[in-house]
């Protein structure tokens, strides 16, 4: 809090200001001019005039302090109740969208706590209790939260399996990048929106499949494989199951050990050829994530970092796009902390000795 007692001045500061007003009252009684009193007390002439009017109407008693301001406040117990109400979401309080604005929080405080606060006070209240202004994460309506909870337990079991047999646990995901870059905010002159020159007819697109690899006692590893889309009729525009097989073989060689792969339910991941290959090789185990649960996959954080670095970049040639992609992925490879699995809420722990 900026001030004690819920706002206003301290008792010492109130006594100090009261003393200045009483000195001004003595000057008024002595017949001194307002400008002279203001100069002697080092206050503004307007304040001295306001004090003179109060002295003229109520005498010296009108210049005494009225005590601490009785401003409305929200106690910690009341804020706990407020957090429960805010946790229900804006729709539970009759709002159409899922945005909490200061005005809406102000309304909830007035209706539920019977306390009237200004918008500025609501802002300070939320900030003081660790409620920042932030962009919400998207969640699909089709997402099954129960399946996600069960799958989190399944991933934990896979971690125990991987640790017990000395395997790496590997998360996989793929993403596409085009020559039209993502946009990010930038400074510009008022009334003139900054423009990024992009190729309007370019259909060139590059796909990247990436693996985030973890093992207790080892540094996190990032392995990726790009694929350029050929602009030919009938040409495949995505990874085939053989591409994923080759990527997993490459990871097995680089990591020099068995791997437990965790990925989504993409049709290519469920291909018969890939299942047959898994059955024939005991170093490979695959686990599927539930649908619409990208927050469980740390590779999503890699795509976020890459797209953030590529924002507002005017790609003039496909090679420029590929160089930028390779450079950013290499930068992440050299900084293992950027792909920390704890971003998903999971942890990789060594096995407990018997």
């Amino acid at each position: 809090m900026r001030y004690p007692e819920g706002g206003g001045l301290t008792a010492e500061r109130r006594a100090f200001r009261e003393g200045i007003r009483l000195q001004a009252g003595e000057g008024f009684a002595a017949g001194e001019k307002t400008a002279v009193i203001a100069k002697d007390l080092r206050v503004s002439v307007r304040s001295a005039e306001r004090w003179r009017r109060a002295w003229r109407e109520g005498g010296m008693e009108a210049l005494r302090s009225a005590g601490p301001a009785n401003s409305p406040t929200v106690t910690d117990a009341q804020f706990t109740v407020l957090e429960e109400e805010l946790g229900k979401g804006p729709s539970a309080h009759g709002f159409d969208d899922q945005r909490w604005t200061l005005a809406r929080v102000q309304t909830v405080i007035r209706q539920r706590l019977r306390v009237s606060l200004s918008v500025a006070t609501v802002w300070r209240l939320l900030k003081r209790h660790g409620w920042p202004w932030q962009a919400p994460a998207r969640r699909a309506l089709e997402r099954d939260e129960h399946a996600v909870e069960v799958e989190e337990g399944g991933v934990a079991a896979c971690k125990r399996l991987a640790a017990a047999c000395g395997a790496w646990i590997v998360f996989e995901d793929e993403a596409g990048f085009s020559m039209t870059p993502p946009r990010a905010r930038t400074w510009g002159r008022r009334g003139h929106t900054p423009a990024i020159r992009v190729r309007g007819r370019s259909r060139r697109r590059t796909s990247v499949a990436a693996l985030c690899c973890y093992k207790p006692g080892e540094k996190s590893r990032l392995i990726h494989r790009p694929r350029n889309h050929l602009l030919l009729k009938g040409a495949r525009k995505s990874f085939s199951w053989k591409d994923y097989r080759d990527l997993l073989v490459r990871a097995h060689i680089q990591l020099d050990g068995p791997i437990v792969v965790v990925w989504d339910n993409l049709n290519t991941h469920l291909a018969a050829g890939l299942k047959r290959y898994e059955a024939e090789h005991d170093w490979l185990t695959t686990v599927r994530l539930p649908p619409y649960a990208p927050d469980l996959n740390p590779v999503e954080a890699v795509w976020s970092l890459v797209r953030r670095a590529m924002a507002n970049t005017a790609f003039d040639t496909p090679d420029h796009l590929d160089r930028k992609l390779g450079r950013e992925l290499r930068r992440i490879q050299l900084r293992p902390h950027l792909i920390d699995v704890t971003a998903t809420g999971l942890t990789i722990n060594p096995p407990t000795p018997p």
Side-chain angles (χ1 to χ4, degrees), residues 182-320:
R183 293 182 298 174
R185 293 180 180 272
T186 182
W187 292 103
R189 189 156 59 93
R190 185 183 298 274
H192 294 77
T193 303
I196 305 172
R197 299 292 182 180
V198 298
R199 292 192 176 275
R201 294 186 177 182
S202 175
R203 294 185 297 165
R204 172 64 184 273
R205 187 177 178 86
T206 298
S207 294
V208 181
L211 305 175
C212 286
C213 314
Y214 308 95
K215 185 179 180 180
E218 301 285 347
K219 290 184 178 180
S220 303
R221 302 278 293 274
L222 174 65
I223 301 174
H224 60 87
R225 182 187 185 94
R227 176 185 175 88
N228 294 326
H229 297 178
L230 301 177
L231 300 179
L232 300 176
K233 186 175 181 180
R236 187 180 181 89
K237 297 183 179 181
S238 61
F239 286 92
S240 66
W241 73 266
K242 295 182 179 179
D243 294 324
Y244 289 114
R245 178 201 62 189
D246 296 341
L247 177 61
L248 297 179
V249 171
R250 176 181 173 185
H252 173 56
I253 295 174
Q254 290 189 15
L255 300 176
D256 191 22
I259 59 177
V260 178
V261 182
V262 184
W263 53 16
D264 55 24
N265 292 279
L266 186 69
N267 292 337
T268 314
H269 295 164
L270 306 177
L274 198 56
K275 289 183 177 180
R276 185 168 55 251
Y277 184 84
E278 177 186 356
E280 295 173 353
H281 296 80
D282 56 0
W283 56 265
L284 175 61
T285 304
T286 60
V287 178
R288 292 188 294 274
L289 290 170
Y292 306 102
D295 51 304
L296 297 181
N297 197 334
V299 186
E300 294 289 344
V302 174
W303 305 142
S304 178
L305 292 172
V306 172
R307 290 192 172 94
R308 189 182 308 169
M310 295 174 60
N312 297 357
T313 302
F315 298 110
D316 49 2
T317 63
D319 291 339
H320 185 192

Side-chain angles (χ1 to χ4, degrees), residues 39-58:
K39 183 178 180 180
D40 292 341
L41 299 179
R42 302 179 67 178
V43 297
S44 65
V45 176
R46 180 173 298 179
S47 296
E49 290 176 348
R50 185 173 66 254
W51 296 342
R52 181 182 286 276
R53 288 194 299 269
W55 172 81
R56 188 182 301 117
E57 295 175 1

